[in-house]
Amino acid sequence: MSKKSLSPILATAAVVALSATLAPVATAQSSMSSLFSGSSSGSSSSSGNNGGGGNGHAQEVSPGIDTTLIGDLLGPELSEEIGLLVGDLGVMAQFGEGEEIAIIFGDSWRGNKLGNGDWIRIPGVVGVKQNGRIKILRPLNEGDIAQELVDIPEDGILTVIPSDIINIDGTLYMQGMRVRGIGNVLQTHIWRSTDNGQNWDRIGTAKPGFNSGMTNLISWAEGPDGYIYQASTQFQRKDDVYLQRFKPEDIANYGKWEYFQPDTGQWTGKIGKPILSTDVRAGELNLRYIEGHWVLAMFNEQRMAIEMRISREIDTDWNAIKPADVVVSGPWNQTQDENNFSQLYGAYIVPGSTLGHMDLVVSQWKTSDDSRYNSTQFNVKGLDKFFGVTPQTNTMLRMAPQMDESARGNQDVIEVSEAPNTELQQQSAATQGESVETLPEDITVVPLR
């Protein structure tokens, strides 16, 4: 069981606060500095400013969209039996038999408030949707109490932030960012579990500068054409969204990833231009293939909203798709609901959702006093009508041109960590070899704006 003092807990937790700050940058930096000093009450007005007015912020849920706040995933009578009471994020994948869902949280605590009790980094649970609401059944790990799923080196203020998980033919894969301080990604890792999430083996590692950092924060979805598609951005809350694809067997074989070039419509061996760049400062994102359509959910700090876009084709002009605002930010001194969910971040689609009836998990953290820190379920109706799409099944997206083998490259910044005696890892080693990365001694703290 992991136990940490309050000061490093708050400093590390600031990484995932994704402060959703509405105050000027200097004020937000002051708030985060107080967290690093060990204070549990940020002095910034960022948690109190309204997110609905000015600066291009979304003011309410889009017309035609019907969003309902369902409730928190963690808390007393919800998750106390597994030893977790607060946590954020909540990436999900359906797995096992029946309708069970694997849910991976970010930094979590056993007490009833951020910083109270033991600090559990990257825990997982098994849930199921009952009567329209996610119910937590048990930990993803063995035993009755939720534990950290992966080993985290004890080297100061350090945690692992999960980006996404995916179920490929019964095997779970998870990508996460190893971080120290606000926005400082030290490495990204890919893990694999062949026993329904109880144990995880690390099968790939990339340095933070790989693809200029634009594939540090990712989301996966399996397409009907045999490829895994991946939307990505940098963990900085200021960047665009990019698109990659690869065959399932190459999920940790970075040299075989293909990158979509929206200006030419081709897939090449090096990252190029983003697929989404207009009025965007991308935070957490979630890409899923639902009823014959690609769905991209995203926290957009530019507009302080959870946005959703839907397209029949993956290789399209995503800038041309007007987003649906499904949950928007606002002041803490007003009722918290879909039109005013203060300091929101994260946007994860619940497995089993449809285009017309979709569930999302959205995070929230009141950084001024840490009294509010949780992952909350919302239900969204009307996306199919908003985007004018007709749900389909058993459909195939248009096959994109194959990549020119001579275009492959951009492997000079990649490290792949190999676990022994597995076919996937042997393939990765053959392509990229093994190396030992030395982490930087001096790390600059870059505030999320």
Side-chain angles (χ1 to χ4, degrees), residues 1-19:
M1 181 181 298
S2 176
K3 184 176 290 187
K4 305 291 173 189
S5 65
L6 183 59
S7 180
I9 285 174
L10 291 174
T12 304
V15 177
V16 291
L18 304 174
S19 58

Side-chain angles (χ1 to χ4, degrees), residues 61-67 324-326 380-384 386-387:
V61 170
S62 294
I65 298 297
D66 180 11
T67 302
D325 298 321
V326 299
V380 182
K381 295 184 177 70
L383 288 169
D384 51 346
F386 182 93
F387 289 100

Side-chain angles (χ1 to χ4, degrees), residues 48-60:
N49 287 1
N50 80 58
N55 300 321
H57 295 161
Q59 299 191 34
E60 60 183 6

